[in-house]
Amino acid sequence: MDTKARNCLLQHREALERDVKTSYIMDHMISDGVLTVSEEEKVKNEPTQRQRAAMLIKTILEKDNYSYISFYNALLHEGYKDLAYLLHGGIPVLSSSNGKDSGGITSYVRTVLCEGGVPQRPVVFVTRKKLVKAIQQKLFKLSGEPGWVTIYGMAGCGKSVLAAEAVRDHSFLEAFFPGGVHWVSVGKQDKSGLLMKLQNLCTRLDQDENFSQRLPLNIEEAKDRLRILMLRKHPRSLLILDDVWDPWVLKAFDNQCQILLTTRDKSVTDSVMGPKYVVPVESGLEKEKGLEILSLFVNMKKADLPEQAHSIIKECKVVECCHWGILTDLLHKWNQS
């Protein structure tokens, strides 16, 4: 971790330890791939809220710049604007060179997606190139103009992973979304919850507070603020809305943006304006993909899997490359067989 980032954490350690509730913060960091499940358990084992926060800060201090950025983004996502502001000055500048890491991802892509809050690849990951290509083609059809691309399918079919994977492409980002990518985990919200999501997004988009030093007070004001920020500060960027449940929620984002969204209900965009494209995701993976997932999860070559692996795949109806509940079920049946 950069000295500046480390010093900033140390400087504001007391405030962070006093106020942060670690549970949801760690969920974000695990999703970003910067915190392990064992590290999460170590934090959870501390007896008090303050001690859990102290253990989390101690763990982050031993990590890299991406962990700092992930922690900062998690604070914003969870409504800790004041605490995130304390850490803003220590945000490290990541290299934008085109060198690739071990996963074939350039540092430019990793920087853009990390700063935009896009989840990292799951530990157990199987490519679905046709669907990723289909999503990119629909985004290309927007031709830089406002519009909507909807990835829809049943729960657990891999919509969020596919959305993230579609923008994990150096040449695609540079050509079509040089202004960046901004991820919002929407979920099922009431009006107060939606307002908080919008406030957090506006804060992320206006970190230098050029447009306003106070949060928008209602959804309409937040919608106007978001429109101005996207047009003036983040042109040619992509907004990703993950797990949208209700059509009325989308109206708050219907403000001349290019938007990629995931949902179980493709009709959620019926009430918004602009071009609309859809990418359906089937509720099950083909047999070979299921076997590939199982082989990765048990750390064996696919060719070495025993015969009962085929019946396990059929019984569990594997649906997503990162659906840990299903993978755990697979492993349980594996151990029993």
Side-chain angles (χ1 to χ4, degrees), residues 6-18 57 68 83 85-88:
R6 181 179 177 81
N7 288 342
C8 194
L9 267 179
L10 291 171
Q11 179 184 350
H12 301 296
R13 190 172 192 166
E14 184 177 349
L16 292 165
E17 292 177 355
R18 182 181 63 243
I57 301 303
Y68 186 100
L83 294 178
Y85 179 79
L86 296 177
L87 299 186
H88 182 260

Side-chain angles (χ1 to χ4, degrees), residues 126-139 149-152 157-159 161-163 165-166 260 278-286 289 319:
V126 176
T127 60
R128 302 166 79 178
K129 293 182 179 178
K130 288 184 179 179
L131 280 170
V132 170
K133 194 68 177 176
I135 296 166
Q136 291 178 336
Q137 288 173 344
K138 299 300 184 185
L139 289 169
V149 174
T150 301
I151 306 171
Y152 74 92
C157 69
K159 302 181 295 294
V161 174
L162 288 166
E165 200 62 22
L260 174 65
V278 297
V279 179
V281 181
E282 297 297 326
S283 59
L285 289 176
E286 63 269 23
K289 287 293 185 184
V319 293

Side-chain angles (χ1 to χ4, degrees), residues 37-188:
V37 174
S38 61
E39 288 169 334
E40 179 190 33
E41 285 302 314
K42 191 174 181 180
V43 172
K44 285 182 175 179
N45 286 337
E46 294 296 321
T48 68
Q49 174 185 314
R50 183 160 190 150
Q51 287 173 300
R52 287 190 288 272
M55 179 58 69
L56 178 59
I57 301 303
K58 179 182 177 181
T59 303
I60 295 170
L61 285 167
E62 297 171 353
K63 292 180 174 290
D64 60 9
N65 290 335
Y66 294 102
S67 301
Y68 186 100
I69 293 174
S70 176
F71 180 55
Y72 172 82
N73 285 332
L75 290 173
L76 285 178
H77 276 298
E78 293 304 321
Y80 292 102
K81 182 194 173 186
D82 293 340
L83 294 178
Y85 179 79
L86 296 177
L87 299 186
H88 182 260
I91 293 177
V93 177
L94 302 178
S95 170
S96 59
S97 67
N98 288 343
K100 293 185 177 180
D101 60 23
S102 59
I105 307 301
T106 65
S107 56
Y108 164 76
V109 170
R110 190 174 181 187
T111 299
V112 170
L113 301 192
C114 186
E115 291 177 345
V118 178
Q120 294 189 17
R121 280 176 176 166
V123 176
V124 178
F125 174 76
V126 176
T127 60
R128 302 166 79 178
K129 293 182 179 178
K130 288 184 179 179
L131 280 170
V132 170
K133 194 68 177 176
I135 296 166
Q136 291 178 336
Q137 288 173 344
K138 299 300 184 185
L139 289 169
F140 172 74
K141 284 186 177 181
L142 294 179
S143 302
E145 297 298 320
W148 309 77
V149 174
T150 301
I151 306 171
Y152 74 92
M154 293 178 63
C157 69
K159 302 181 295 294
S160 301
V161 174
L162 288 166
E165 200 62 22
V167 294
R168 197 169 277 117
D169 183 310
H170 187 115
S171 58
F172 184 75
L173 282 179
E174 278 198 328
F176 301 108
F177 303 107
V181 177
H182 312 287
W183 183 285
V184 181
S185 299
V186 180
K188 196 169 182 65

Side-chain angles (χ1 to χ4, degrees), residues 22 26 47-48 62 84 113 136 162 190 206 258 287 312 335:
T22 57
M26 291 193 295
T48 68
E62 297 171 353
L113 301 192
Q136 291 178 336
L162 288 166
D190 57 17
D206 188 26
Q258 295 182 84
K287 181 180 177 181
I312 292 172
N335 291 330

